[in-house]
Amino acid sequence: MQEIKEELYQLCTGFINDRIQNAEEALKQAQQASIDDTKSSAGDKYETGREMAQQDINRNMQLLIDAKQQKALLMGLSTNAITDVVKNGSLVLTNNGNFYLSISAGQFMVNGTSYFAISAVAPLGKLLMGKRKGDAFTFNQRNYQIKELI
């Protein structure tokens, strides 16, 4: 099971690296569009175009900052740590799904089994935090029981 945890960590790392790369590329394009618009616009159109370009730059900058924060959180996780309590970095196997508490990266398939990478601040992540093997809880009208904690 430790190998699965390592594989999920690598998949999350690839996911966040792609987000960083995409945000950096979008930021460069928005900055270039702002420069190009400045060269060819005049009057009110100039101000509107410039504001829209600035909004794109700000949005992409925020996406980049968020992605880098998620990467920092991910880098702080240990794939070797085994605890008896759910925390960041835990792999939690339940009767209604398998969850890797790390970053919100969605669903991954490893060896034909589905795992969801979720954040500890996501609603389900908050419910899982601090739970132990055998604990039960309800989320979205579904009953969960923790079968394994890695």
PDB file of all heavy atoms in Angstrom, residues 66-98:
ATOM      1  N   ASP A  66      -1.716  30.465  -5.965  1.00  0.00           N
ATOM      2  CA  ASP A  66      -2.440  29.342  -5.357  1.00  0.00           C
ATOM      3  C   ASP A  66      -1.774  28.012  -5.668  1.00  0.00           C
ATOM      4  O   ASP A  66      -1.623  27.156  -4.788  1.00  0.00           O
ATOM      5  CB  ASP A  66      -3.895  29.312  -5.832  1.00  0.00           C
ATOM      6  CG  ASP A  66      -4.720  30.477  -5.314  1.00  0.00           C
ATOM      7  OD1 ASP A  66      -4.271  31.176  -4.371  1.00  0.00           O
ATOM      8  OD2 ASP A  66      -5.817  30.709  -5.869  1.00  0.00           O
ATOM      9  N   ALA A  67      -1.382  27.825  -6.928  1.00  0.00           N
ATOM     10  CA  ALA A  67      -0.735  26.575  -7.333  1.00  0.00           C
ATOM     11  C   ALA A  67       0.597  26.392  -6.608  1.00  0.00           C
ATOM     12  O   ALA A  67       0.925  25.287  -6.165  1.00  0.00           O
ATOM     13  CB  ALA A  67      -0.537  26.546  -8.846  1.00  0.00           C
ATOM     14  N   LYS A  68       1.353  27.460  -6.452  1.00  0.00           N
ATOM     15  CA  LYS A  68       2.636  27.359  -5.744  1.00  0.00           C
ATOM     16  C   LYS A  68       2.424  27.062  -4.262  1.00  0.00           C
ATOM     17  O   LYS A  68       3.204  26.332  -3.660  1.00  0.00           O
ATOM     18  CB  LYS A  68       3.463  28.630  -5.943  1.00  0.00           C
ATOM     19  CG  LYS A  68       4.055  28.708  -7.340  1.00  0.00           C
ATOM     20  CD  LYS A  68       4.953  29.913  -7.521  1.00  0.00           C
ATOM     21  CE  LYS A  68       5.603  29.882  -8.895  1.00  0.00           C
ATOM     22  NZ  LYS A  68       6.546  30.977  -9.094  1.00  0.00           N
ATOM     23  N   GLN A  69       1.351  27.604  -3.672  1.00  0.00           N
ATOM     24  CA  GLN A  69       1.039  27.285  -2.274  1.00  0.00           C
ATOM     25  C   GLN A  69       0.663  25.814  -2.135  1.00  0.00           C
ATOM     26  O   GLN A  69       1.075  25.151  -1.183  1.00  0.00           O
ATOM     27  CB  GLN A  69      -0.097  28.173  -1.765  1.00  0.00           C
ATOM     28  CG  GLN A  69       0.315  29.600  -1.517  1.00  0.00           C
ATOM     29  CD  GLN A  69      -0.862  30.505  -1.172  1.00  0.00           C
ATOM     30  OE1 GLN A  69      -2.017  30.201  -1.452  1.00  0.00           O
ATOM     31  NE2 GLN A  69      -0.551  31.636  -0.557  1.00  0.00           N
ATOM     32  N   GLN A  70      -0.102  25.299  -3.087  1.00  0.00           N
ATOM     33  CA  GLN A  70      -0.463  23.881  -3.055  1.00  0.00           C
ATOM     34  C   GLN A  70       0.770  23.006  -3.224  1.00  0.00           C
ATOM     35  O   GLN A  70       0.887  21.970  -2.576  1.00  0.00           O
ATOM     36  CB  GLN A  70      -1.497  23.562  -4.131  1.00  0.00           C
ATOM     37  CG  GLN A  70      -2.871  24.068  -3.806  1.00  0.00           C
ATOM     38  CD  GLN A  70      -3.910  23.587  -4.795  1.00  0.00           C
ATOM     39  OE1 GLN A  70      -3.597  23.101  -5.888  1.00  0.00           O
ATOM     40  NE2 GLN A  70      -5.165  23.715  -4.421  1.00  0.00           N
ATOM     41  N   LYS A  71       1.680  23.433  -4.081  1.00  0.00           N
ATOM     42  CA  LYS A  71       2.902  22.656  -4.265  1.00  0.00           C
ATOM     43  C   LYS A  71       3.722  22.638  -2.976  1.00  0.00           C
ATOM     44  O   LYS A  71       4.268  21.599  -2.593  1.00  0.00           O
ATOM     45  CB  LYS A  71       3.743  23.220  -5.412  1.00  0.00           C
ATOM     46  CG  LYS A  71       4.977  22.368  -5.683  1.00  0.00           C
ATOM     47  CD  LYS A  71       5.722  22.780  -6.914  1.00  0.00           C
ATOM     48  CE  LYS A  71       6.871  21.812  -7.142  1.00  0.00           C
ATOM     49  NZ  LYS A  71       7.545  22.065  -8.400  1.00  0.00           N
ATOM     50  N   ALA A  72       3.804  23.772  -2.291  1.00  0.00           N
ATOM     51  CA  ALA A  72       4.536  23.834  -1.020  1.00  0.00           C
ATOM     52  C   ALA A  72       3.903  22.896   0.004  1.00  0.00           C
ATOM     53  O   ALA A  72       4.614  22.176   0.722  1.00  0.00           O
ATOM     54  CB  ALA A  72       4.573  25.263  -0.498  1.00  0.00           C
ATOM     55  N   LEU A  73       2.572  22.884   0.059  1.00  0.00           N
ATOM     56  CA  LEU A  73       1.884  21.973   0.971  1.00  0.00           C
ATOM     57  C   LEU A  73       2.204  20.528   0.619  1.00  0.00           C
ATOM     58  O   LEU A  73       2.514  19.720   1.493  1.00  0.00           O
ATOM     59  CB  LEU A  73       0.376  22.209   0.894  1.00  0.00           C
ATOM     60  CG  LEU A  73      -0.475  21.397   1.850  1.00  0.00           C
ATOM     61  CD1 LEU A  73      -1.675  22.212   2.307  1.00  0.00           C
ATOM     62  CD2 LEU A  73      -0.933  20.096   1.262  1.00  0.00           C
ATOM     63  N   LEU A  74       2.167  20.224  -0.660  1.00  0.00           N
ATOM     64  CA  LEU A  74       2.444  18.872  -1.130  1.00  0.00           C
ATOM     65  C   LEU A  74       3.871  18.456  -0.793  1.00  0.00           C
ATOM     66  O   LEU A  74       4.120  17.331  -0.355  1.00  0.00           O
ATOM     67  CB  LEU A  74       2.200  18.805  -2.639  1.00  0.00           C
ATOM     68  CG  LEU A  74       2.152  17.441  -3.293  1.00  0.00           C
ATOM     69  CD1 LEU A  74       1.057  16.587  -2.683  1.00  0.00           C
ATOM     70  CD2 LEU A  74       1.925  17.589  -4.785  1.00  0.00           C
ATOM     71  N   MET A  75       4.816  19.376  -0.962  1.00  0.00           N
ATOM     72  CA  MET A  75       6.222  19.062  -0.691  1.00  0.00           C
ATOM     73  C   MET A  75       6.464  18.767   0.797  1.00  0.00           C
ATOM     74  O   MET A  75       7.408  18.081   1.148  1.00  0.00           O
ATOM     75  CB  MET A  75       7.138  20.198  -1.145  1.00  0.00           C
ATOM     76  CG  MET A  75       7.059  20.520  -2.630  1.00  0.00           C
ATOM     77  SD  MET A  75       6.969  19.087  -3.680  1.00  0.00           S
ATOM     78  CE  MET A  75       8.584  18.958  -4.291  1.00  0.00           C
ATOM     79  N   GLY A  76       5.580  19.258   1.645  1.00  0.00           N
ATOM     80  CA  GLY A  76       5.713  19.029   3.075  1.00  0.00           C
ATOM     81  C   GLY A  76       5.150  17.697   3.545  1.00  0.00           C
ATOM     82  O   GLY A  76       5.302  17.346   4.711  1.00  0.00           O
ATOM     83  N   LEU A  77       4.514  16.957   2.655  1.00  0.00           N
ATOM     84  CA  LEU A  77       3.925  15.670   3.022  1.00  0.00           C
ATOM     85  C   LEU A  77       4.957  14.555   2.964  1.00  0.00           C
ATOM     86  O   LEU A  77       5.848  14.578   2.130  1.00  0.00           O
ATOM     87  CB  LEU A  77       2.766  15.314   2.084  1.00  0.00           C
ATOM     88  CG  LEU A  77       1.591  16.264   2.044  1.00  0.00           C
ATOM     89  CD1 LEU A  77       0.533  15.726   1.088  1.00  0.00           C
ATOM     90  CD2 LEU A  77       1.007  16.467   3.427  1.00  0.00           C
ATOM     91  N   SER A  78       4.793  13.595   3.836  1.00  0.00           N
ATOM     92  CA  SER A  78       5.655  12.416   3.828  1.00  0.00           C
ATOM     93  C   SER A  78       4.859  11.232   3.307  1.00  0.00           C
ATOM     94  O   SER A  78       3.732  10.999   3.754  1.00  0.00           O
ATOM     95  CB  SER A  78       6.161  12.116   5.236  1.00  0.00           C
ATOM     96  OG  SER A  78       6.808  10.863   5.257  1.00  0.00           O
ATOM     97  N   THR A  79       5.419  10.490   2.372  1.00  0.00           N
ATOM     98  CA  THR A  79       4.739   9.302   1.860  1.00  0.00           C
ATOM     99  C   THR A  79       5.067   8.085   2.722  1.00  0.00           C
ATOM    100  O   THR A  79       4.446   7.046   2.570  1.00  0.00           O
ATOM    101  CB  THR A  79       5.130   9.024   0.397  1.00  0.00           C
ATOM    102  OG1 THR A  79       6.547   8.885   0.315  1.00  0.00           O
ATOM    103  CG2 THR A  79       4.664  10.128  -0.520  1.00  0.00           C
ATOM    104  N   ASN A  80       6.026   8.214   3.635  1.00  0.00           N
ATOM    105  CA  ASN A  80       6.432   7.088   4.483  1.00  0.00           C
ATOM    106  C   ASN A  80       5.696   7.068   5.814  1.00  0.00           C
ATOM    107  O   ASN A  80       5.646   6.040   6.471  1.00  0.00           O
ATOM    108  CB  ASN A  80       7.934   7.148   4.796  1.00  0.00           C
ATOM    109  CG  ASN A  80       8.775   7.266   3.555  1.00  0.00           C
ATOM    110  OD1 ASN A  80       8.265   7.215   2.450  1.00  0.00           O
ATOM    111  ND2 ASN A  80      10.053   7.425   3.721  1.00  0.00           N
ATOM    112  N   ALA A  81       5.189   8.215   6.232  1.00  0.00           N
ATOM    113  CA  ALA A  81       4.578   8.321   7.558  1.00  0.00           C
ATOM    114  C   ALA A  81       3.342   7.439   7.661  1.00  0.00           C
ATOM    115  O   ALA A  81       2.476   7.453   6.805  1.00  0.00           O
ATOM    116  CB  ALA A  81       4.221   9.763   7.857  1.00  0.00           C
ATOM    117  N   ILE A  82       3.299   6.676   8.729  1.00  0.00           N
ATOM    118  CA  ILE A  82       2.130   5.854   9.016  1.00  0.00           C
ATOM    119  C   ILE A  82       1.632   6.283  10.389  1.00  0.00           C
ATOM    120  O   ILE A  82       2.377   6.284  11.361  1.00  0.00           O
ATOM    121  CB  ILE A  82       2.477   4.350   9.016  1.00  0.00           C
ATOM    122  CG1 ILE A  82       2.974   3.932   7.633  1.00  0.00           C
ATOM    123  CG2 ILE A  82       1.262   3.529   9.431  1.00  0.00           C
ATOM    124  CD1 ILE A  82       3.473   2.507   7.564  1.00  0.00           C
ATOM    125  N   THR A  83       0.368   6.693  10.431  1.00  0.00           N
ATOM    126  CA  THR A  83      -0.207   7.133  11.701  1.00  0.00           C
ATOM    127  C   THR A  83      -1.516   6.395  11.936  1.00  0.00           C
ATOM    128  O   THR A  83      -2.069   5.785  11.023  1.00  0.00           O
ATOM    129  CB  THR A  83      -0.486   8.649  11.705  1.00  0.00           C
ATOM    130  OG1 THR A  83      -1.497   8.927  10.746  1.00  0.00           O
ATOM    131  CG2 THR A  83       0.759   9.448  11.394  1.00  0.00           C
ATOM    132  N   ASP A  84      -2.008   6.480  13.144  1.00  0.00           N
ATOM    133  CA  ASP A  84      -3.294   5.861  13.450  1.00  0.00           C
ATOM    134  C   ASP A  84      -4.433   6.874  13.386  1.00  0.00           C
ATOM    135  O   ASP A  84      -5.571   6.550  13.687  1.00  0.00           O
ATOM    136  CB  ASP A  84      -3.243   5.174  14.810  1.00  0.00           C
ATOM    137  CG  ASP A  84      -2.870   6.124  15.929  1.00  0.00           C
ATOM    138  OD1 ASP A  84      -2.400   7.238  15.638  1.00  0.00           O
ATOM    139  OD2 ASP A  84      -3.039   5.740  17.102  1.00  0.00           O
ATOM    140  N   VAL A  85      -4.102   8.107  12.971  1.00  0.00           N
ATOM    141  CA  VAL A  85      -5.073   9.190  12.865  1.00  0.00           C
ATOM    142  C   VAL A  85      -4.951   9.836  11.490  1.00  0.00           C
ATOM    143  O   VAL A  85      -3.848  10.035  10.993  1.00  0.00           O
ATOM    144  CB  VAL A  85      -4.804  10.239  13.974  1.00  0.00           C
ATOM    145  CG1 VAL A  85      -5.379  11.576  13.643  1.00  0.00           C
ATOM    146  CG2 VAL A  85      -5.345   9.763  15.295  1.00  0.00           C
ATOM    147  N   VAL A  86      -6.083  10.158  10.862  1.00  0.00           N
ATOM    148  CA  VAL A  86      -6.065  10.794   9.545  1.00  0.00           C
ATOM    149  C   VAL A  86      -5.480  12.196   9.667  1.00  0.00           C
ATOM    150  O   VAL A  86      -5.886  12.979  10.524  1.00  0.00           O
ATOM    151  CB  VAL A  86      -7.487  10.865   8.945  1.00  0.00           C
ATOM    152  CG1 VAL A  86      -7.463  11.602   7.609  1.00  0.00           C
ATOM    153  CG2 VAL A  86      -8.084   9.479   8.770  1.00  0.00           C
ATOM    154  N   LYS A  87      -4.507  12.487   8.800  1.00  0.00           N
ATOM    155  CA  LYS A  87      -3.897  13.812   8.727  1.00  0.00           C
ATOM    156  C   LYS A  87      -3.462  14.042   7.282  1.00  0.00           C
ATOM    157  O   LYS A  87      -3.609  13.148   6.443  1.00  0.00           O
ATOM    158  CB  LYS A  87      -2.713  13.931   9.692  1.00  0.00           C
ATOM    159  CG  LYS A  87      -1.568  13.005   9.377  1.00  0.00           C
ATOM    160  CD  LYS A  87      -0.431  13.215  10.341  1.00  0.00           C
ATOM    161  CE  LYS A  87       0.816  12.521   9.815  1.00  0.00           C
ATOM    162  NZ  LYS A  87       1.998  12.909  10.531  1.00  0.00           N
ATOM    163  N   ASN A  88      -2.930  15.226   6.992  1.00  0.00           N
ATOM    164  CA  ASN A  88      -2.416  15.490   5.646  1.00  0.00           C
ATOM    165  C   ASN A  88      -1.389  14.420   5.292  1.00  0.00           C
ATOM    166  O   ASN A  88      -0.494  14.128   6.075  1.00  0.00           O
ATOM    167  CB  ASN A  88      -1.760  16.868   5.569  1.00  0.00           C
ATOM    168  CG  ASN A  88      -2.698  17.913   5.041  1.00  0.00           C
ATOM    169  OD1 ASN A  88      -3.648  17.610   4.338  1.00  0.00           O
ATOM    170  ND2 ASN A  88      -2.447  19.154   5.393  1.00  0.00           N
ATOM    171  N   GLY A  89      -1.524  13.846   4.105  1.00  0.00           N
ATOM    172  CA  GLY A  89      -0.624  12.792   3.661  1.00  0.00           C
ATOM    173  C   GLY A  89      -1.173  11.399   3.886  1.00  0.00           C
ATOM    174  O   GLY A  89      -0.601  10.421   3.421  1.00  0.00           O
ATOM    175  N   SER A  90      -2.307  11.289   4.575  1.00  0.00           N
ATOM    176  CA  SER A  90      -2.902   9.972   4.837  1.00  0.00           C
ATOM    177  C   SER A  90      -3.634   9.441   3.607  1.00  0.00           C
ATOM    178  O   SER A  90      -4.242  10.204   2.853  1.00  0.00           O
ATOM    179  CB  SER A  90      -3.912  10.057   5.988  1.00  0.00           C
ATOM    180  OG  SER A  90      -3.290  10.345   7.202  1.00  0.00           O
ATOM    181  N   LEU A  91      -3.579   8.144   3.458  1.00  0.00           N
ATOM    182  CA  LEU A  91      -4.385   7.442   2.461  1.00  0.00           C
ATOM    183  C   LEU A  91      -5.473   6.725   3.243  1.00  0.00           C
ATOM    184  O   LEU A  91      -5.187   5.905   4.113  1.00  0.00           O
ATOM    185  CB  LEU A  91      -3.528   6.446   1.670  1.00  0.00           C
ATOM    186  CG  LEU A  91      -4.242   5.599   0.632  1.00  0.00           C
ATOM    187  CD1 LEU A  91      -4.973   6.456  -0.392  1.00  0.00           C
ATOM    188  CD2 LEU A  91      -3.260   4.668  -0.062  1.00  0.00           C
ATOM    189  N   VAL A  92      -6.724   7.085   2.959  1.00  0.00           N
ATOM    190  CA  VAL A  92      -7.855   6.574   3.723  1.00  0.00           C
ATOM    191  C   VAL A  92      -8.733   5.729   2.806  1.00  0.00           C
ATOM    192  O   VAL A  92      -9.246   6.226   1.808  1.00  0.00           O
ATOM    193  CB  VAL A  92      -8.692   7.743   4.314  1.00  0.00           C
ATOM    194  CG1 VAL A  92      -9.812   7.205   5.190  1.00  0.00           C
ATOM    195  CG2 VAL A  92      -7.807   8.700   5.091  1.00  0.00           C
ATOM    196  N   LEU A  93      -8.884   4.462   3.152  1.00  0.00           N
ATOM    197  CA  LEU A  93      -9.727   3.553   2.389  1.00  0.00           C
ATOM    198  C   LEU A  93     -11.035   3.379   3.151  1.00  0.00           C
ATOM    199  O   LEU A  93     -11.028   2.994   4.320  1.00  0.00           O
ATOM    200  CB  LEU A  93      -9.035   2.208   2.198  1.00  0.00           C
ATOM    201  CG  LEU A  93      -7.594   2.255   1.666  1.00  0.00           C
ATOM    202  CD1 LEU A  93      -7.019   0.861   1.520  1.00  0.00           C
ATOM    203  CD2 LEU A  93      -7.520   2.999   0.350  1.00  0.00           C
ATOM    204  N   THR A  94     -12.150   3.689   2.495  1.00  0.00           N
ATOM    205  CA  THR A  94     -13.462   3.568   3.134  1.00  0.00           C
ATOM    206  C   THR A  94     -14.347   2.635   2.320  1.00  0.00           C
ATOM    207  O   THR A  94     -13.986   2.239   1.199  1.00  0.00           O
ATOM    208  CB  THR A  94     -14.172   4.937   3.261  1.00  0.00           C
ATOM    209  OG1 THR A  94     -14.677   5.324   1.984  1.00  0.00           O
ATOM    210  CG2 THR A  94     -13.248   6.005   3.820  1.00  0.00           C
ATOM    211  N   ASN A  95     -15.498   2.331   2.861  1.00  0.00           N
ATOM    212  CA  ASN A  95     -16.465   1.508   2.139  1.00  0.00           C
ATOM    213  C   ASN A  95     -17.091   2.257   0.966  1.00  0.00           C
ATOM    214  O   ASN A  95     -17.716   1.651   0.105  1.00  0.00           O
ATOM    215  CB  ASN A  95     -17.564   1.027   3.104  1.00  0.00           C
ATOM    216  CG  ASN A  95     -18.320   2.191   3.725  1.00  0.00           C
ATOM    217  OD1 ASN A  95     -17.739   3.215   4.070  1.00  0.00           O
ATOM    218  ND2 ASN A  95     -19.624   2.033   3.879  1.00  0.00           N
ATOM    219  N   ASN A  96     -16.918   3.591   0.907  1.00  0.00           N
ATOM    220  CA  ASN A  96     -17.501   4.396  -0.170  1.00  0.00           C
ATOM    221  C   ASN A  96     -16.463   5.211  -0.928  1.00  0.00           C
ATOM    222  O   ASN A  96     -16.760   6.290  -1.421  1.00  0.00           O
ATOM    223  CB  ASN A  96     -18.582   5.336   0.385  1.00  0.00           C
ATOM    224  CG  ASN A  96     -19.929   4.665   0.476  1.00  0.00           C
ATOM    225  OD1 ASN A  96     -20.301   3.932  -0.425  1.00  0.00           O
ATOM    226  ND2 ASN A  96     -20.631   4.884   1.564  1.00  0.00           N
ATOM    227  N   GLY A  97     -15.247   4.741  -1.001  1.00  0.00           N
ATOM    228  CA  GLY A  97     -14.222   5.434  -1.766  1.00  0.00           C
ATOM    229  C   GLY A  97     -12.900   5.487  -1.032  1.00  0.00           C
ATOM    230  O   GLY A  97     -12.817   5.234   0.171  1.00  0.00           O
ATOM    231  N   ASN A  98     -11.871   5.811  -1.801  1.00  0.00           N
ATOM    232  CA  ASN A  98     -10.508   5.886  -1.286  1.00  0.00           C
ATOM    233  C   ASN A  98     -10.021   7.318  -1.461  1.00  0.00           C
ATOM    234  O   ASN A  98     -10.165   7.901  -2.536  1.00  0.00           O
ATOM    235  CB  ASN A  98      -9.603   4.923  -2.051  1.00  0.00           C
ATOM    236  CG  ASN A  98     -10.159   3.508  -2.025  1.00  0.00           C
ATOM    237  OD1 ASN A  98     -10.490   2.991  -0.968  1.00  0.00           O
ATOM    238  ND2 ASN A  98     -10.265   2.884  -3.185  1.00  0.00           N
TER     239      ASN A  98
END
